[in-house]
Amino acid sequence: MGGTGWVRGEARVADDSDFQTLKNLLASDIGWNLEYERDGVKVWAEDAAHGALRTVKVVADFEDVEPDALYDVLHDPEYRSVWDTHMLAAEDAGHINVNNDVGYYAMSCPAPLKNRDFVLQRSWLDTGDEKMILNHSVYHKDYPPRKGFVRALSLLTGFVVRSRPVGPGSWLGYVSRSDPRGALPAWLVNRVTAQLAPRLVHQLQAAARRYPGWKALTDHPYHKPWRHPEQVPSYRIKLEDCIDPDAPPPPAPQQEPKPNTSKKLSLPQVQVKEVESQSVEDLGDISSEFSVEVEELSDLNIDPTKKKGKFYRLVKSMKNRRKSVQVTKSTDNLVDGKPEEKQEKKKPFKFHRRFSLSRGRED
């Protein structure tokens, strides 16, 4: 189904695209299964693969609750301890800016399950016509995992509050995808989440009805930092404190291969004449002055990859000398314009020398 643009555990300032993703999830009808519908409350579950955590979506109409009161209930940390019966602790780690903060939240779970806790970044946006809240799990160095709690994850949680299209009251859209972690199977988490979502909505409705009267009796009835940025504390937390040192680095983005725009130059093919291999006796005039016969030892197995000895270097140098002499003669004939005359072959005088490969020296 997809989520916001945050990488898991990333702490950063939310932008317009993150809130737009939340609105798109609420407006989408494809890939959702209706699980509950009663008293103006509808609950959809994501059509996900078997064994995977599913996203839950809730839409509700409240005729007796104003949008401002519902928005304040979702924000006010003091009032949460009044209506949220599962809350064990809530602490404010600090603000990133006037519309983003980080906090700690611990909740009780029914036996035999262990209690869960979260470290959450909240982001909110009030455009007048609609009010939106997002939260997701992050890391903070001052809130490591605590004994007796399982550190759960909020992968995506969001609220959208609007006025009803017709008549007084408010419209609420709610999306949640959480991982309680621990040993709970995914199918059980999906079932419990779908059953608890309607209860949470009705609990919010009842709390919003009582909020205006409760807030008026507090010592600071006009203290609402989520509405008045000047009331936000000046202290700012550092994003460096929200980087988990044990987290694996994010995958590097795959770069698409650049197209090869260079033009290939077609070079003319040059035909190379093969030079026939010549034996030691076929070295012409130069080899006739000095030839060598080597005693082959059939009982020795010599590695062909090893470098040759004196005899190889001698033959190689004579071949190179013969080629240079032939090139010089052919050049002189072209200059004089005379055809090359055949010389009578002299009977070669062979000087016999034995060269022992086994001893590596001359006998």
Side-chain angles (χ1 to χ4, degrees):
M1 209 36 86
T4 59
W6 279 288
V7 178
R8 178 176 293 192
E10 178 188 15
R12 63 169 175 82
V13 175
D15 54 32
D16 293 341
S17 63
D18 299 315
F19 294 102
Q20 186 61 46
T21 302
L22 173 62
K23 294 166 62 176
N24 293 341
L25 288 174
L26 288 170
S28 175
D29 294 330
I30 302 174
W32 298 94
N33 297 323
L34 185 62
E35 301 281 342
Y36 177 92
E37 183 177 7
R38 185 177 179 183
D39 298 333
V41 178
K42 295 182 179 180
V43 179
W44 289 269
E46 179 187 3
D47 187 11
H50 179 71
L53 292 173
R54 298 188 301 178
T55 305
V56 175
K57 177 173 65 173
V58 182
V59 171
D61 283 328
F62 301 142
E63 298 180 359
D64 55 349
V65 175
E66 293 299 321
D68 290 345
L70 185 58
Y71 183 62
D72 291 342
V73 169
L74 293 170
H75 266 290
D76 200 323
E78 295 181 4
Y79 189 59
R80 180 142 199 158
S81 62
V82 175
W83 67 269
D84 188 353
T85 57
H86 295 285
M87 188 182 77
L88 297 177
E91 300 177 18
D92 184 16
H95 283 71
I96 300 175
N97 64 6
V98 295
N99 287 91
N100 295 264
D101 66 3
V102 176
Y104 172 81
Y105 174 78
M107 62 176 292
S108 62
C109 295
L113 301 179
K114 288 186 177 181
N115 296 332
R116 261 63 178 173
D117 63 353
F118 299 82
V119 178
L120 302 170
Q121 177 192 337
R122 291 191 311 164
S123 307
W124 57 91
L125 178 64
D126 186 355
T127 64
D129 295 334
E130 57 186 3
K131 312 172 194 306
M132 293 170 283
I133 303 175
L134 286 171
N135 77 54
H136 70 284
S137 290
V138 296
Y139 168 87
H140 194 280
K141 65 181 184 63
D142 295 337
Y143 296 93
R146 298 184 177 182
K147 185 178 180 180
F149 290 88
V150 176
R151 181 58 52 89
L153 295 177
S154 171
L155 304 175
L156 169 63
T157 302
F159 297 90
V160 177
V161 178
R162 302 170 184 155
S163 299
R164 293 181 65 210
V166 180
S170 58
W171 178 93
L172 174 68
Y174 168 58
V175 174
S176 176
R177 186 169 189 264
S178 300
D179 183 3
R181 306 179 83 173
L184 298 178
W187 66 267
L188 179 61
V189 175
N190 295 332
R191 176 177 295 181
V192 172
T193 303
Q195 292 177 354
L196 292 180
R199 299 181 187 179
L200 173 63
V201 170
H202 290 300
Q203 199 173 7
L204 277 173
Q205 182 182 14
R209 291 197 200 104
R210 298 188 297 265
Y211 179 77
W214 175 90
K215 189 66 174 178
L217 297 177
T218 60
D219 296 336
H220 305 283
Y222 301 105
H223 182 71
K224 299 179 180 180
W226 54 93
R227 288 182 176 273
H228 309 291
E230 65 275 7
Q231 298 178 358
V232 175
S234 59
Y235 172 74
R236 298 289 182 268
I237 63 174
K238 298 179 181 179
L239 291 179
E240 291 80 4
D241 296 339
C242 298
I243 299 177
D244 188 356
D246 299 328
Q254 297 181 356
Q255 297 181 356
E256 296 182 358
K258 297 181 178 179
N260 187 8
T261 58
S262 60
K263 297 182 179 180
K264 296 183 179 181
L265 299 178
S266 58
L267 299 178
Q269 296 182 356
V270 180
Q271 294 182 357
V272 181
K273 295 182 179 180
E274 295 182 357
V275 179
E276 297 180 356
S277 59
Q278 297 174 341
S279 61
V280 177
E281 286 96 29
D282 194 22
L283 294 179
D285 298 337
I286 300 175
S287 64
S288 62
E289 298 177 2
F290 184 42
S291 85
V292 179
E293 289 184 1
V294 180
E295 179 183 4
E296 296 182 356
L297 301 178
S298 59
D299 57 336
L300 294 179
N301 294 326
I302 303 175
D303 189 358
T305 60
K306 294 183 179 180
K307 294 183 179 180
K308 307 292 194 265
K310 297 180 180 179
F311 170 72
Y312 175 81
R313 291 195 295 270
L314 175 62
V315 175
K316 189 69 175 179
S317 62
M318 287 192 294
K319 283 185 177 181
N320 294 335
R321 289 173 59 190
R322 179 178 180 275
K323 291 179 181 178
S324 61
V325 171
Q326 290 177 348
V327 171
T328 304
K329 288 182 179 181
S330 61
T331 305
D332 294 338
N333 293 334
L334 291 175
V335 173
D336 299 338
K338 297 180 181 180
E340 183 178 355
E341 296 180 358
K342 294 184 180 180
Q343 298 181 358
E344 296 181 359
K345 292 185 178 180
K346 296 181 181 180
K347 188 176 181 181
F349 174 77
K350 295 186 178 180
F351 177 79
H352 296 274
R353 177 179 295 180
R354 297 181 64 196
F355 186 84
S356 175
L357 295 177
S358 62
R359 289 191 292 268
R361 61 184 179 83
E362 294 181 356
D363 290 339

